[in-house]
Amino acid sequence: MQRLHQLVGVLGLATVWLGGATSSAVWGQSGSSKLLEDARIQTELARQKIEADVQAALASTRSVAPGQTEEAIARLNQALVQLLGDSSLSPARRDALVRAVQDRLRQLDTRPSGSGTNPIKGGAAGKAAAGTATKSGPKAIDDAERDAQQAARKQQLDRERAEANAIQSRLDHIARLQREGKSFDALKVADELSRQYPTNPAAQAMRRKATLTERIAEARAILAEMEQRLTQAYREIERAALPSVENVEFPKDWKEKTEKRLAALKPSAREMAILKALNTKVPQGFQNTPISEVLQYLTDLTNEPIVLSKSELDEAKITSDTPVTFQARNVTVRTVLRAILSEFGMTYVIRDGTIQVTSIQRAREMLVTRSYPIGDLVIGTGQFGNPLLWGPGLSQLQMQQNVAQIIETIQSTIDPQSWRSAGGPGTITYHPPTGSLIIRQTAEVHAMLRGSIGR
């Protein structure tokens, strides 16, 4: 009955939380709708403006006074550039206006100016007229100035048309990126285009459109992610409300995670051979036997060399003939070594794939620090491990209890006398951010741990 009351309380809190989340989702949807409506209004205003500008340019060039043909052509060219860079008009309407502007340009190209020369091709005609005119007098000077002006205007028109073609190519590229859903890439290209052509209306309009498109895409992505997370939260709450089938239920991927950890922590073949040698039983004791003979006997028994250098003997103030006594029988090589070496302030370490005798102080300096991931063993496991069902407080306490149990098991089963709690040098702590045990111990203990953690 108590468990039922707890479930009812948890589901009540979940309902309140989900109500708030749903309100946030509704707010997000209304915010996105407003953004889409603003975008539609801006697009409509841009369409009305470009159409009004083009119609004004066409109307102003229907009747052109003599000598104003070049100004009319320049205005129509500017309108054409705006049309080519516009994205607010429908394709059919934009094509119709482009054809109207181009037709009007062709009419002006074939119309004689006040001086009888073509405004676009007038440079060549002017040069021919200048060639037949006299080389002196006011008329020759006027013809030369007119030819120079017409040539300059033609170069300006050519530059504007080349710029329009370059801008149109970039605009097509931006439109293609937007169709492919690459709104961020399209915005980068549009920003570069607007910086390159700061006075071009089409480039600036495309940048504004690309910015708006990116914002809309971002808003839609946030809404989609919010919907996905809310759906996942609903499912987790429903799953958490299901009664347990067994006392402990592990995640579905727990076995896979454990196998990966064991594969990463598996001891090498050499480490396993040394551990096996140290676990070998010694069938006899020793009575006033030189220490060198004892070590040689253990080497022959295990087929593992035990290295004792003269410098270590000198530091311990003993010789290879110093007698040792150990009466116990049928104990491990590990126990015999520690017993006979501790009398002289020495111990052994596993280093470079061999068993080496050294001083206790030097052995402490050879400790190795390693991390062992145990997150799948302590997080989300246990009676109160599910934070959705029991809340983060109980879940955290359950995780701490799981860690304490694992640490206690390691210290009581893996070389108990080597840990600081028993007077040894080894330490063990838990690192919550990575879900790992940080252990500082001898290479031998690490080899034993790597064969035990996760079993």
Side-chain angles (χ1 to χ4, degrees), residues 324-342:
V324 296
T325 298
F326 186 79
Q327 298 292 347
R329 298 184 178 184
N330 293 322
V331 295
T332 63
V333 171
R334 178 183 293 105
T335 302
V336 174
L337 282 173
R338 288 181 176 173
I340 65 175
L341 294 175
S342 62

Side-chain angles (χ1 to χ4, degrees), residues 277-315:
L278 292 172
N279 289 328
T280 303
K281 298 290 185 178
V282 180
Q284 67 178 48
F286 304 95
Q287 182 69 35
N288 293 324
T289 307
I291 188 172
S292 60
E293 293 184 11
V294 174
L295 296 180
Q296 185 60 47
Y297 172 80
L298 297 177
T299 296
D300 296 338
L301 180 65
T302 60
N303 291 324
E304 287 292 341
I306 301 175
V307 180
L308 174 60
S309 65
K310 186 177 183 304
S311 61
E312 297 291 349
L313 292 173
D314 295 340
E315 185 177 345

Side-chain angles (χ1 to χ4, degrees), residues 264-281:
L265 298 177
K266 185 177 180 180
S268 65
R270 184 63 188 143
E271 290 174 330
M272 292 300 296
I274 294 177
L275 291 178
K276 182 179 179 181
L278 292 172
N279 289 328
T280 303
K281 298 290 185 178

Side-chain angles (χ1 to χ4, degrees), residues 225-245:
E225 185 176 359
M226 180 182 297
E227 182 179 358
Q228 180 182 2
R229 291 191 180 188
L230 286 175
T231 302
Q232 183 178 0
Y234 288 136
R235 291 177 180 174
E236 290 294 334
I237 291 177
E238 292 175 354
R239 187 179 293 109
L242 294 175
S244 301
V245 179

Side-chain angles (χ1 to χ4, degrees), residues 389-400:
L389 183 59
W390 302 108
L394 281 177
S395 177
Q396 183 72 11
L397 291 175
Q398 179 68 66
M399 185 269 290
Q400 294 175 359

